[in-house]
Amino acid sequence: MDITVDELVRRSEGWLPIILEYSGKLTLALITLLIGWWLINRITNRVSNLLAMRRVDKTLHGFIGSLANMVLKVLLLVSVASMVGIETTSFIAAIGAAGLAIGLALQGSLANFAGGVLILLFRPFKAGDFIEAQGVMGTVDQIQIFHTVLRTGDNKTVIVPNGSLSNGIITNYSNQATRQVLYDVKVDYASDLAKAREVLLKLAEDPRVHKDPAPVVVVSALGDTSINLSLRMWTSNADYWGVIFMLNESVRDKLHEAGVQLAQPPRMVQVVPSAG
């Protein structure tokens, strides 16, 4: 079929406005995409650098940077699609429904993720600290996004979910440079308290024990069968258990040499009824 020039011009008069309109929208969308993509990369890099300057854990600021970058780029693509006339309402609804389904399926994992973010941000402990949490005592080997790895004193590896860890009580034994030793001894009521105090203070002259504040011995309680003495002194955190073990080995013998008797546990008498 032959098309004359006049017919071609007449048809183009209907197409040309549409082509010009969509080419303008497409050009503007491409410019927006390029500029937005560049800005998102710059912003996420700045955020990562800021977190690094604040000494946030590398695992966390890398994850936050990647997550923010991905979310912003998805929003940018949706905005660019709407600029060229693509209906995005159903697309956004599908993303929301998928996000809700994933969130419900991964409730426990999301709770652990949130707990890991809180731990890495607020840093109640760090790698190398000795902590007690969730019924476990151990040295922190790794803090990851979803769980924390502890190494117990007998070299067992325990993996604790961050969700329960961040919501529970955490005792950090490494957070302070010094630690107080509270060592209780039960002596007989007939014992000389002055001698007992002298022996305990002599043991506290160990070089690992701090002189300021000075060690003290107090009567902590008067029991039914014993006088309870408490030796209280301060040591460096690293020396705490060494001092405890030294006292466990020495107290009994040193008190015995000074004529101070440790209290004996009450004897139990069992009455057996006679036959017949």
Side-chain angles (χ1 to χ4, degrees):
M1 181 177 63
D2 295 334
I3 300 176
T4 64
V5 174
D6 291 339
E7 182 69 20
L8 184 61
V9 170
R10 192 166 48 252
R11 291 185 181 183
S12 67
E13 288 177 352
W15 301 338
L16 190 58
I18 298 175
I19 294 173
L20 291 175
E21 179 184 358
Y22 276 97
S23 63
K25 288 183 178 179
L26 184 60
T27 301
L28 181 60
L30 288 174
I31 293 173
T32 303
L33 179 63
L34 293 174
I35 295 176
W37 204 273
W38 178 78
L39 282 175
I40 288 171
N41 288 333
R42 288 292 302 273
I43 290 171
T44 52
N45 286 336
R46 289 291 298 274
V47 170
S48 295
N49 292 335
L50 182 62
L51 292 173
M53 290 173 59
R54 293 178 176 270
R55 296 182 180 179
V56 176
D57 191 272
K58 290 183 179 180
T59 304
L60 180 60
H61 71 68
F63 184 84
I64 289 177
S66 300
L67 182 63
N69 190 282
M70 181 181 65
V71 171
L72 290 174
K73 284 180 178 178
V74 169
L75 294 176
L76 175 63
L77 291 174
V78 172
S79 300
V80 169
S82 66
M83 290 175 65
V84 296
I86 299 175
E87 184 61 43
T88 59
T89 305
S90 58
F91 181 66
I92 294 173
I95 292 176
L100 179 61
I102 293 172
L104 291 174
L106 300 175
Q107 281 183 337
S109 297
L110 291 177
N112 291 333
F113 167 75
V117 171
L118 291 175
I119 290 171
L120 291 169
L121 278 177
F122 296 105
R123 304 183 70 83
F125 54 82
K126 61 183 183 298
D129 285 355
F130 187 82
I131 67 170
E132 179 180 4
Q134 299 298 308
V136 180
M137 295 179 66
T139 302
V140 178
D141 267 352
Q142 298 178 41
I143 306 172
Q144 300 187 4
I145 288 293
F146 292 100
H147 59 263
T148 295
V149 181
L150 302 181
R151 186 180 70 256
T152 62
D154 54 351
N155 210 31
K156 291 186 294 188
T157 297
V158 180
I159 298 175
V160 184
N162 284 337
S164 56
L165 190 61
S166 63
N167 290 322
I169 297 174
I170 301 171
T171 303
N172 190 337
Y173 294 100
S174 303
N175 197 42
Q176 303 296 330
T178 58
R179 190 171 173 186
Q180 188 179 32
V181 176
L182 301 176
Y183 195 87
D184 295 331
V185 178
K186 295 181 179 182
V187 299
D188 191 88
Y189 266 101
S191 298
D192 188 332
L193 291 184
K195 285 185 177 180
R197 180 178 283 108
E198 181 183 349
V199 170
L200 294 176
L201 290 177
K202 186 70 176 177
L203 289 172
E205 293 177 1
D206 188 281
R208 293 169 292 185
V209 176
H210 295 177
K211 301 297 186 272
D212 185 23
V216 296
V217 177
V218 298
V219 177
S220 59
L222 297 176
D224 293 335
T225 60
S226 65
I227 300 175
N228 299 344
L229 300 179
S230 181
L231 172 60
R232 304 183 177 191
M233 53 191 176
W234 290 86
T235 69
S236 298
N237 210 317
D239 294 328
Y240 177 84
W241 288 110
V243 171
I244 290 288
F245 295 149
M246 178 273 293
L247 292 172
N248 287 341
E249 293 177 3
S250 304
V251 163
R252 184 187 71 91
D253 292 339
K254 296 297 182 183
L255 288 176
H256 183 73
E257 291 173 4
V260 177
Q261 296 299 319
L262 293 174
Q264 300 297 320
R267 297 181 180 178
M268 297 184 63
V269 179
Q270 183 177 7
V271 178
V272 180
S274 58

